[in-house]
Amino acid sequence: MTEVTLVQAVSMALARAMEEDENVVLLGEDVGVNGGVFRATKGLQKKFGSERVIDTPLAEAAIAGVAVGMAAQGLRPVAEFQFMGFSYPGLDQIICHASRLRNRTRGRLSCPIVYRAPYGGGIHGPEHHSESTEALYAHIPGLRVVIPSSPVRAYGLLLAAIRDPDPVIFLEPKRIYRAVKQDVEDDGEALPLDLCFTLRDGDDVTLVTWGAAVKETLAAAETLDSRYDIDAAVIDVATLTPLDMDTILASVEKTGRCVIVHEAPSTGGFGAEIAARLAERGLLSLLSPIERVTGYDVVPPGARTEHRYLINEDRIIAAARRAVFFPEAPTEQDHTMEDA
Amino acid sequence: MTEVTLVQAVSMALARAMEEDENVVLLGEDVGVNGGVFRATKGLQKKFGSERVIDTPLAEAAIAGVAVGMAAQGLRPVAEFQFMGFSYPGLDQIICHASRLRNRTRGRLSCPIVYRAPYGGGIHGPEHHSESTEALYAHIPGLRVVIPSSPVRAYGLLLAAIRDPDPVIFLEPKRIYRAVKQDVEDDGEALPLDLCFTLRDGDDVTLVTWGAAVKETLAAAETLDSRYDIDAAVIDVATLTPLDMDTILASVEKTGRCVIVHEAPSTGGFGAEIAARLAERGLLSLLSPIERVTGYDVVPPGARTEHRYLINEDRIIAAARRAVFFPEAPTEQDHTMEDA
Amino acid sequence: MADEKIPYTQYLQADGSVVGNLPEFAEDQELVLALYRHMNRARRFDTKAVAMQRTGRLPTFPPALGQEAFHVGFASAMSADDILFPTYRDGPAQMVRGVQLEELLLFTAGDERGSDFQVPRCDFPQAIPIATQTAHAVGAAYAMKLRGEKSVAVTTIGDGGSSKGDFYEAMNFAGVWQAPVIFLINNNGWAISTPRDRQSAAPTLAQKGDAVGVPGQQVDGNDVLAVYHVVSEAIAAARSGKGPALIEALTHRLTDHSTADDASRYRDADLLSEQWKEEPMIRLRTYLSNQGWWGKEDEESMLTELDQEIERAVENFEASDAPEAAAMFDYMYAELPADLMAQRAEVIAAHGHEGDGS
Amino acid sequence: MADEKIPYTQYLQADGSVVGNLPEFAEDQELVLALYRHMNRARRFDTKAVAMQRTGRLPTFPPALGQEAFHVGFASAMSADDILFPTYRDGPAQMVRGVQLEELLLFTAGDERGSDFQVPRCDFPQAIPIATQTAHAVGAAYAMKLRGEKSVAVTTIGDGGSSKGDFYEAMNFAGVWQAPVIFLINNNGWAISTPRDRQSAAPTLAQKGDAVGVPGQQVDGNDVLAVYHVVSEAIAAARSGKGPALIEALTHRLTDHSTADDASRYRDADLLSEQWKEEPMIRLRTYLSNQGWWGKEDEESMLTELDQEIERAVENFEASDAPEAAAMFDYMYAELPADLMAQRAEVIAAHGHEGDGS
Ligand SMILES: Cc1ncc(C[n+]2csc(CCOP(=O)(O)OP(=O)(O)O)c2C)c(N)n1
Ligand SMILES: Cc1ncc(C[n+]2csc(CCOP(=O)(O)OP(=O)(O)O)c2C)c(N)n1
Ligand SMILES: [Mg+2]
Ligand SMILES: [Mg+2]
């Protein structure tokens, strides 16, 4: 067992996957000699050679596209977009080919690719470095969208993603790349790609979230408990698509209340899909309107003011309390909303 | 007044806009001499010259990107993607620049661009010619996503889109390009970009839809009325973002039931957003679970079997009846579900 | 025609006369007759498919009329283990590779089984989003090189497609990686209605290789011997580790862009009749008869055979059932995720299990 | 260094000696001194910004250390009415254009007001997504040409960026349109950790113009006179309707990619010290003193002035309030759609109206 950060867990999983399968190759900008701008591929080129850990020219459409050709030829490419905001030139290849090749050829050719990208804000990055556009990928049939939110889940889910016979978009919440350390056993055990993770049981309200926002959501659940005696369940969706709705429905059946928390803009965010499915399959369980605590429908503000945009504990607590008190509004005196 | 089809109404609006504002220019593949592969720009190059109706080289990323430079310099480019499935190389420019330039520069520069594309299936097109990925665009702050579903709305909404000071994604449901003719007065009157259109009032159930599916939805409403005595309201959302939720909420308040109909895959489709907002702001009005009648989460099948994927009247009728009869299931004998 | 710096290869002139020294293989009667037969199959099939489209038996079809020497020439230069990454206009090349006519008809009809080739198992299906296939070819070539295999990836693109960034990026990767990929431009003069001179100010498309350190050359795409020759040499070089190559074939698109197009809206009729004079079949037939390899009877029996082969394919195609209703789900993932099972069941409930064309 | 076919321009060698015939403007003392001053301002500002980042007063900053001749040379060659489409590394060029140091600091700090330049109103903000700016330049150039204006668009890109399809597509459009755009490659040898020779197998980046019919040339990017000269000529040609041009400037990145980078992980220290010998400021100073235009005192008073100017900008920047909370909504659309008003109200409720940095 080693205590590692999330980004180190990513490295560990990559190394393990490359060891156990010689078809696994890494490619992307600066993934080799430099070990990636976040050091996620640190040391791997030394270990596995520059033919398996490939520093590519600067061109994301090609990175996405050559991975398709490699995968159809039996390799298992893990392609890195340096930041999610630079993955868009690759969308065409991912939508038109990676997600479809199996279907187009009735299974003759397939695309066991992992497209990795650090995602989300909160690192005081320049413009375009704070994207949370997972919803774009989650709308594309044929893909899996996977987002780890702890070192343990990063290790297990990334191994699963690499071994999966189909393309996976693997988004790493860079804000928590080094937020905590966890014991991660490098035992090659993958985690399932078809289950949500229940991080906390609770009877009063279900908090559904993923990515870096898991951190604030867990903190909010603690506060809800300690300060307001509200018992909140916390579900880390982890694999957005295909979605394990049953775990969410089961919890909401118990709590009757649901708050969905994500960093991406609200409109058309993946929270909408979860809310929609609740309104379809869980309507009768709902004792209060669904709440979404999300990014606003704006361009993420620059570093100087991004804290106003990012999810904070207070917004989650306020939403959970609105849900629990519904149809009453939570009383002012209980409500200690603070400015961040 | 002239009786025109939807695609002719598009031409009319383009011609009108070009006449009234010399800054309006068209660009795209085959939009000039050929008048567009669907003839939407027919005759316009003759009329306005090849400098204002520009046949570009074959490169969608550049088409999207040069439009940004043109717009920032005071032109009002109307850029055509030949099919929505070929708009993806342009996404990077649209997400990173067109939607953001005003915000990035605090209003100093802006992007009055219309990106037009024929969209949706049902024309027996080859692979990649049947895309309905409006949800990708609808998740991007700073854009407007507009979809006309009749000649009158095509004319009025396209004029509004061109005059709008910000970027608009204008998706034309090609399946109904020539489905009906309508009297369209070429009077230069635009339609509002911030309202849904209520096409049919109704007390029993609210059908919310857009694009080509408006056709089947209206037909379903007729059948619901005549065969089942169910009085369905039909709302054409038309402008997906920014969304006029009030019109939808008002109707659902009256009917208590909502069926959302769109051709795009269900998961992460824009129907999810509407359902989510209902579950947030209209929960207490809902007398039955929200129903979504949508494309499946698969690649649209090829021409030979695409009818199995496309929205049909029967699916809408069945969903509306489930909603109305809820919590009972509609009885078998009333239920005359036919295979298409 | 060609830029000075750019090599240009032609052996058979429009009138069938030979220019320069023919390469050795031109004496190989069997080989050259096979080329001729492939070109004829392609053209007969093309005619048939267009006729079927006109009578509502096929949706949109993109004919390759006039470009048979290009397609047959390059595909014949490939080994079975090489891999083709074609476009929508490469049906004739796919036939040479072993794709069945019936499969091509299924694909055209919008039946996904048409891309599940029995042979060649590794070739990609036709790419519709233009230029995307070039990156796939580079990735596959990288994989083959990594494994020490000697196969070569071959990919095609149009003059229009050569304007796309994907093409440039793919060639650039191939150059850096010295990957065994051959990039072939079928420069037929048009991208739908857009003429070659509106695509690029570059005097040749072959010189696009300059930008990425990949050697470029031109070839008369109406001359199957020239195409076969330059592609064979380029493949041999790539196979022996000499890296990628770019070849621009000069062809003419002798008909509409596709059955959905009407070229008379934008193309001068006189130009077209000039171009017909350069079409590739007649010059090859002249060569064959000059060699004493081919006569009227050979021609007649060949055409009869080809037409029978095509008819059989059409019959099989038309007798085929549509795919099962559930098929739209069953190849989305290696294993259908639980999340999609209800949708699959709904489709089966509505349309039944059978592939009954419903 | 350069390919034979590709012109290469250099006047000032590393030791300050002159090679070839200097262009006329090199005798214009005022002009050349202005270039020198701009280069010094750039370097002092750079040093300051890096120091601020190291002490937590700025987030990530991308220094231009060593590339000042490139930035100052090309920006000085532009007229006020020309338009610049810069990258994140073009701060020094923006300063020449009239962008305030305080604005550059705001931009770096992630304050959008930093891109609302008071001067020049039409220049684009720095593009972060690499190569996207090249298309904007072409579109703007098209607009200016359409209106019969004589302005020219100038855009820059790195050696890494030159691998992107956007760059190729933009140049191709410019070639077809004969649009007045100058494409400048700042080839500083690195794209973060990726060396030039892993970016492209093309021997020069200037020859990328071949692919699109745009003339390409190289220039010594450490020689401000050479840069000023070739860019001036290219702009004049474009202004007079002669179309686009591509110029590759050979520079060195004398420090890390950005303050978030540590080049010692991938770059040889010896290489770096060799490159320092070619840096652009010293050779220009040598030229100036050889001309008798510049002495120790001039240098000292200039540096004092520049440092004061920079200090004032830093003070103003640090004294500035953060934008209002509602600002994140107020520039999304010309008019805020009703749909977003509730969100805006929520943000104001949580953070107040004031631009208090909260
Ligand atoms: C990315 C993309 N954009 C647009 C289209 C629509 N389209 C189909 S064929 C074609 C013209 C292609 O011309 P060219 O590359 O010269 O090939 P040709 O058809 O002449 O063989 C266009 C624009 C497409 N298939 N893909
Ligand atoms: C499309 C895109 N991909 C990746 C990045 C991340 N990135 C920022 S700078 C850089 C290297 C750029 O190198 P080069 O073009 O040579 O310019 P330089 O930094 O040397 O000036 C990369 C990969 C980006 N900003 N945009
Ligand atoms: Mg062509
Ligand atoms: Mg560089």
Side-chain angles (χ1 to χ4, degrees):
Chain A
M1 292 275 231
T2 345
E3 280 240 306
V4 296
T5 61
L6 199 160
V7 69
Q8 286 169 331
V10 167
S11 292
M12 268 170 66
L14 291 172
R16 160 70 62 158
M18 294 192 78
E19 249 155 43
E20 65 185 27
D21 183 350
E22 64 173 13
N23 288 314
V24 175
V25 299
L26 313 188
L27 68 157
E29 296 155 12
D30 307 294
V31 299
V33 182
N34 195 36
V37 294
F38 288 103
R39 331 288 300 123
T41 53
K42 189 179 155 189
L44 298 178
Q45 190 179 69
K46 256 219 177 99
K47 195 153 173 194
F48 298 102
S50 61
E51 302 214 313
R52 288 183 66 200
V53 181
I54 311 160
D55 277 319
T56 67
L58 203 167
E60 286 79 6
I63 291 171
V66 298
V68 170
M70 288 174 169
Q73 264 301 300
L75 297 185
R76 292 190 167 254
V78 181
E80 175 180 300
F81 298 120
Q82 202 161 78
F83 287 84
M84 188 176 201
F86 309 134
S87 72
Y88 307 137
L91 270 173
D92 186 42
Q93 285 284 358
I94 295 173
I95 298 176
C96 293
H97 293 294
S99 75
R100 298 186 178 204
L101 192 60
R102 178 187 294 283
N103 182 66
R104 297 177 67 211
T105 62
R106 301 285 100 158
R108 179 170 63 85
L109 300 173
S110 61
C111 281
I113 305 172
V114 178
Y115 293 105
R116 293 178 46 241
Y119 100 110
I123 61 154
H124 283 96
E127 288 184 289
H128 307 281
H129 285 70
S130 303
E131 310 284 301
S132 304
T133 36
E134 66 272 18
L136 304 187
Y137 292 96
H139 185 48
I140 304 304
L143 300 179
R144 286 183 161 80
V145 177
V146 178
I147 303 181
S149 62
S150 76
V152 166
R153 288 194 290 286
Y155 178 83
L157 292 172
L158 182 51
L159 274 182
I162 296 173
R163 292 176 193 156
D164 193 89
D166 290 303
V168 176
I169 309 295
F170 194 84
L171 301 173
E172 300 163 10
K174 58 180 176 291
R175 179 159 63 88
I176 56 169
Y177 254 161
R178 299 182 170 83
V180 288
K181 289 199 169 197
Q182 243 181 351
D183 273 337
V184 178
E185 190 154 10
D186 189 6
D187 56 3
E189 288 289 327
L191 285 169
L193 291 182
D194 53 6
L195 284 183
C196 295
F197 295 87
T198 302
L199 303 185
R200 196 179 195 285
D201 278 317
D203 291 331
D204 297 332
V205 57
T206 304
L207 311 181
V208 178
T209 186
W210 56 87
V214 167
K215 186 160 167 266
E216 282 72 34
T217 307
L218 280 170
E222 290 301 323
T223 308
L224 283 166
D225 185 5
S226 61
R227 200 184 307 173
Y228 300 105
D229 202 26
I230 291 173
D231 191 13
V234 175
I235 295 175
D236 174 9
V237 178
T239 296
L240 270 56
T241 53
L243 178 62
D244 163 25
M245 194 61 204
D246 292 341
T247 298
I248 299 170
L249 281 166
S251 174
V252 174
E253 213 161 281
K254 205 161 59 171
T255 63
R257 279 127 170 128
C258 186
V259 179
I260 302 165
V261 184
H262 62 67
E263 185 174 316
S266 181
T267 295
F270 196 70
E273 179 61 31
I274 294 173
R277 293 201 193 185
L278 280 169
E280 286 165 350
R281 297 173 53 198
L283 187 76
L284 298 189
S285 318
L286 286 174
L287 302 173
S288 72
I290 295 171
E291 294 271 351
R292 283 186 287 172
V293 176
T294 67
Y296 303 106
D297 291 325
V298 302
V299 175
R304 198 167 189 188
T305 54
E306 77 172 324
H307 64 284
R308 297 177 186 155
Y309 174 91
L310 292 171
I311 298 304
N312 63 41
E313 216 190 303
D314 288 332
R315 285 180 66 202
I316 304 169
I317 292 171
R321 297 186 68 232
R322 276 195 303 273
V324 170
F325 282 76
F326 184 83
E328 311 293 319
T331 56
E332 256 326 307
Q333 75 218 68
D334 290 346
H335 196 112
T336 53
M337 180 98 159
E338 292 148 313
D339 197 7
Chain B
M1 294 276 232
T2 346
E3 281 239 305
V4 296
T5 60
L6 199 159
V7 68
Q8 287 169 331
V10 167
S11 294
M12 269 170 65
L14 291 172
R16 160 69 62 158
M18 294 191 78
E19 249 154 42
E20 64 185 28
D21 183 350
E22 65 173 14
N23 287 315
V24 176
V25 299
L26 313 187
L27 69 156
E29 296 155 11
D30 307 294
V31 299
V33 182
N34 195 37
V37 294
F38 287 103
R39 331 289 299 121
T41 53
K42 189 179 156 188
L44 297 178
Q45 189 177 71
K46 260 224 173 90
K47 197 153 170 194
F48 298 102
S50 61
E51 303 213 313
R52 288 185 63 202
V53 182
I54 311 160
D55 277 320
T56 66
L58 204 167
E60 285 79 6
I63 291 171
V66 298
V68 170
M70 289 174 169
Q73 264 300 300
L75 297 185
R76 293 192 166 251
V78 181
E80 176 180 300
F81 298 120
Q82 202 160 78
F83 287 83
M84 187 176 202
F86 309 134
S87 71
Y88 307 137
L91 270 173
D92 185 43
Q93 285 284 359
I94 295 173
I95 297 176
C96 293
H97 294 293
S99 75
R100 298 188 177 202
L101 191 60
R102 178 187 293 283
N103 182 67
R104 296 177 67 210
T105 62
R106 300 285 100 156
R108 180 170 62 86
L109 300 173
S110 61
C111 281
I113 305 171
V114 179
Y115 293 105
R116 292 179 46 240
Y119 99 108
I123 62 156
H124 283 97
E127 287 183 291
H128 306 281
H129 285 71
S130 302
E131 311 284 300
S132 303
T133 36
E134 66 272 17
L136 305 187
Y137 292 96
H139 185 47
I140 305 302
L143 299 179
R144 285 184 161 79
V145 177
V146 178
I147 304 180
S149 61
S150 77
V152 166
R153 288 193 290 285
Y155 178 83
L157 292 172
L158 182 51
L159 275 182
I162 297 172
R163 292 177 194 155
D164 192 89
D166 291 303
V168 176
I169 309 295
F170 195 83
L171 301 173
E172 300 163 11
K174 59 180 175 291
R175 178 158 65 87
I176 57 169
Y177 254 161
R178 298 180 171 84
V180 289
K181 288 198 169 197
Q182 243 180 351
D183 273 338
V184 178
E185 191 153 8
D186 189 7
D187 55 4
E189 287 288 328
L191 285 168
L193 291 183
D194 54 4
L195 283 184
C196 295
F197 295 87
T198 302
L199 303 185
R200 197 179 194 284
D201 278 317
D203 292 331
D204 297 332
V205 57
T206 304
L207 311 181
V208 178
T209 186
W210 57 87
V214 167
K215 188 161 165 265
E216 284 71 34
T217 307
L218 280 171
E222 289 302 321
T223 308
L224 283 166
D225 185 6
S226 62
R227 202 185 305 174
Y228 300 105
D229 203 26
I230 292 173
D231 192 13
V234 175
I235 295 176
D236 174 9
V237 178
T239 297
L240 270 55
T241 51
L243 178 61
D244 163 25
M245 194 63 203
D246 292 341
T247 297
I248 298 169
L249 281 166
S251 175
V252 175
E253 212 163 282
K254 204 159 62 171
T255 63
R257 280 128 171 130
C258 186
V259 179
I260 301 166
V261 184
H262 62 67
E263 186 174 316
S266 182
T267 296
F270 196 71
E273 179 61 31
I274 294 174
R277 295 202 193 184
L278 279 169
E280 285 165 351
R281 296 175 53 199
L283 188 77
L284 299 188
S285 318
L286 285 174
L287 302 173
S288 72
I290 295 171
E291 294 270 350
R292 282 186 287 173
V293 176
T294 68
Y296 304 106
D297 290 325
V298 302
V299 176
R304 199 168 188 186
T305 54
E306 76 172 323
H307 64 284
R308 297 176 185 155
Y309 174 92
L310 292 171
I311 297 305
N312 64 42
E313 217 190 301
D314 288 332
R315 285 180 65 202
I316 304 168
I317 292 171
R321 296 185 69 232
R322 276 195 304 273
V324 170
F325 281 78
F326 183 84
E328 310 292 319
T331 57
E332 253 327 306
Q333 77 219 66
D334 289 345
H335 196 113
T336 55
M337 181 97 158
E338 291 148 316
D339 198 5
Chain C
M1 157 176 344
D3 193 85
E4 298 156 53
K5 304 169 301 185
I6 301 287
Y8 174 73
T9 304
Q10 185 195 41
Y11 297 117
L12 291 183
Q13 292 181 293
D15 64 2
S17 63
V18 171
V19 57
N21 294 326
L22 278 176
E24 221 169 285
F25 75 81
E27 292 302 322
D28 180 340
Q29 178 173 355
E30 204 181 323
L31 170 65
V32 181
L33 284 179
L35 298 176
Y36 184 63
R37 191 182 178 92
H38 279 308
M39 287 167 67
N40 275 280
R41 181 190 287 105
R43 183 155 311 173
R44 305 299 271 205
F45 178 79
D46 219 88
T47 311
K48 180 71 188 181
V50 171
M52 288 172 73
Q53 195 283 333
R54 298 291 183 221
T55 51
R57 293 153 70 198
L58 276 182
T60 317
F61 177 80
L65 186 66
Q67 295 141 79
E68 297 88 351
F70 167 72
H71 289 117
V72 169
F74 86 72
S76 301
M78 294 174 67
S79 299
D81 286 343
D82 296 335
I83 309 187
L84 177 61
F85 298 80
T87 76
Y88 50 86
R89 206 181 295 289
D90 289 329
Q94 294 181 294
M95 293 175 206
V96 175
R97 297 279 302 151
V99 175
Q100 297 300 300
L101 301 184
E102 192 184 330
E103 290 169 338
L104 288 171
L105 289 167
L106 285 169
F107 175 78
T108 307
D111 184 325
E112 290 78 2
R113 293 171 304 183
S115 290
D116 182 15
F117 317 141
Q118 296 314 298
V119 172
R121 292 298 287 169
C122 289
D123 278 17
F124 261 48
Q126 294 178 9
I128 306 279
I130 287 178
T132 51
Q133 69 279 5
T134 56
H136 308 158
V138 176
Y142 188 94
M144 299 186 293
K145 188 177 169 180
L146 181 69
R147 290 194 300 250
E149 292 166 10
K150 291 284 168 223
S151 303
V152 172
V154 176
T155 185
T156 63
I157 196 164
D159 45 319
S162 75
S163 292
K164 281 215 70 176
D166 304 59
F167 171 63
Y168 168 75
E169 291 186 1
M171 281 204 302
N172 189 50
F173 271 54
V176 172
W177 290 346
Q178 287 299 293
V181 197
I182 312 301
F183 298 92
L184 299 171
I185 302 180
N186 174 8
N187 176 359
N188 63 11
W190 296 94
I192 309 186
S193 70
T194 308
R196 160 65 182 85
D197 62 359
R198 296 292 298 169
Q199 278 301 336
S200 180
T204 74
L205 302 180
Q207 75 196 73
K208 289 180 178 288
D210 281 7
V212 288
V214 171
Q217 59 175 306
Q218 289 188 314
V219 63
D220 180 355
N222 290 311
D223 174 357
V224 72
L225 300 183
V227 174
Y228 181 87
H229 178 67
V230 299
V231 176
S232 296
E233 304 250 298
I235 289 179
R239 210 186 296 293
S240 70
K242 298 218 178 72
L246 171 64
I247 297 167
E248 175 189 7
L250 298 165
T251 63
H252 301 304
R253 197 190 81 197
L254 294 179
T255 180
D256 299 330
H257 167 73
S258 77
T259 52
D261 178 47
D262 173 5
S264 71
R265 291 201 289 253
Y266 53 81
R267 179 168 58 183
D268 188 52
D270 293 345
L271 174 69
L272 185 59
S273 26
E274 280 310 301
Q275 293 183 334
W276 264 105
K277 295 182 189 150
E278 299 185 343
E279 78 80 55
M281 310 265 285
I282 295 173
R283 66 173 84 179
L284 181 59
R285 188 155 66 232
T286 308
Y287 175 76
L288 294 180
S289 46
N290 289 349
Q291 292 286 85
W293 292 346
W294 198 249
K296 203 162 176 304
E297 274 165 45
D298 301 309
E299 180 86 3
E300 274 166 17
S301 67
M302 176 192 70
L303 293 182
T304 310
E305 280 168 36
L306 291 176
D307 286 346
Q308 284 169 350
E309 181 187 345
I310 291 165
E311 273 316 320
R312 269 196 310 277
V314 171
E315 277 164 29
N316 289 340
F317 159 66
E318 296 198 324
S320 69
D321 283 339
E324 287 187 6
M328 71 170 97
F329 292 92
D330 292 346
Y331 303 94
M332 288 301 301
Y333 298 88
E335 208 175 315
L336 191 71
D339 191 30
L340 297 187
M341 289 190 182
Q343 292 187 11
R344 183 174 185 273
E346 183 186 333
V347 169
I348 292 173
H351 298 282
H353 248 303
E354 307 319 317
D356 58 359
S358 81
Chain D
M1 159 173 345
D3 194 86
E4 298 157 53
K5 304 169 301 186
I6 301 287
Y8 173 74
T9 304
Q10 184 197 41
Y11 297 117
L12 290 184
Q13 292 180 293
D15 64 2
S17 64
V18 171
V19 56
N21 295 324
L22 279 177
E24 220 170 286
F25 75 81
E27 293 301 323
D28 181 341
Q29 178 174 356
E30 203 182 322
L31 170 63
V32 180
L33 284 180
L35 297 176
Y36 184 63
R37 189 182 179 93
H38 280 306
M39 287 167 67
N40 275 281
R41 180 190 287 105
R43 183 154 310 174
R44 304 299 271 205
F45 178 80
D46 219 90
T47 310
K48 179 72 189 178
V50 171
M52 288 172 71
Q53 195 282 333
R54 298 290 183 223
T55 52
R57 292 153 71 198
L58 275 182
T60 316
F61 177 80
L65 185 67
Q67 297 141 79
E68 297 89 352
F70 167 73
H71 289 117
V72 169
F74 87 72
S76 301
M78 294 174 68
S79 299
D81 287 343
D82 297 334
I83 309 187
L84 177 61
F85 297 80
T87 75
Y88 50 86
R89 207 180 294 289
D90 289 328
Q94 294 181 296
M95 293 176 206
V96 176
R97 299 279 302 151
V99 175
Q100 297 300 301
L101 301 185
E102 191 184 331
E103 290 168 338
L104 289 172
L105 289 167
L106 285 168
F107 175 78
T108 306
D111 184 325
E112 290 78 3
R113 293 172 302 183
S115 291
D116 183 15
F117 318 140
Q118 296 315 299
V119 172
R121 293 298 288 168
C122 289
D123 279 17
F124 262 48
Q126 294 178 9
I128 306 280
I130 287 179
T132 51
Q133 70 278 7
T134 56
H136 309 159
V138 176
Y142 187 93
M144 299 186 292
K145 188 176 172 183
L146 181 69
R147 290 194 299 251
E149 293 167 8
K150 292 284 169 223
S151 303
V152 173
V154 175
T155 185
T156 64
I157 196 165
D159 45 318
S162 76
S163 291
K164 280 215 72 179
D166 304 60
F167 171 63
Y168 169 75
E169 292 186 2
M171 281 205 301
N172 189 49
F173 271 53
V176 172
W177 289 346
Q178 287 298 293
V181 196
I182 313 301
F183 298 92
L184 299 172
I185 301 180
N186 174 9
N187 176 1
N188 62 10
W190 296 94
I192 309 186
S193 71
T194 309
R196 161 67 182 84
D197 62 358
R198 297 291 299 167
Q199 279 300 336
S200 180
T204 74
L205 301 179
Q207 76 196 71
K208 290 181 177 287
D210 280 7
V212 288
V214 170
Q217 59 174 307
Q218 288 188 315
V219 65
D220 180 353
N222 290 313
D223 173 358
V224 72
L225 299 183
V227 174
Y228 181 87
H229 178 68
V230 298
V231 176
S232 296
E233 302 249 300
I235 288 179
R239 209 185 297 293
S240 71
K242 299 218 176 74
L246 170 64
I247 297 167
E248 175 190 6
L250 298 166
T251 62
H252 301 304
R253 198 192 81 198
L254 294 180
T255 180
D256 299 331
H257 167 74
S258 77
T259 52
D261 179 45
D262 173 5
S264 72
R265 291 201 290 253
Y266 53 80
R267 180 168 58 183
D268 188 54
D270 293 344
L271 175 69
L272 185 58
S273 27
E274 280 310 301
Q275 293 181 337
W276 264 105
K277 296 183 188 150
E278 298 185 344
E279 78 81 55
M281 310 264 285
I282 295 173
R283 65 174 85 179
L284 181 59
R285 190 156 63 231
T286 309
Y287 175 76
L288 294 181
S289 46
N290 289 350
Q291 293 285 85
W293 292 346
W294 198 249
K296 202 163 177 291
E297 274 164 46
D298 301 309
E299 181 87 3
E300 274 166 16
S301 67
M302 176 191 71
L303 292 181
T304 310
E305 279 168 37
L306 291 176
D307 287 345
Q308 284 169 350
E309 181 186 344
I310 291 165
E311 273 316 319
R312 269 195 311 277
V314 171
E315 277 164 28
N316 288 341
F317 158 67
E318 295 198 323
S320 69
D321 284 338
E324 288 187 6
M328 70 169 98
F329 291 92
D330 292 346
Y331 302 94
M332 287 301 300
Y333 298 89
E335 208 175 316
L336 191 71
D339 191 28
L340 297 186
M341 290 188 180
Q343 292 187 10
R344 183 175 184 273
E346 183 185 332
V347 169
I348 292 173
H351 299 281
H353 249 303
E354 307 319 316
D356 56 359
S358 82

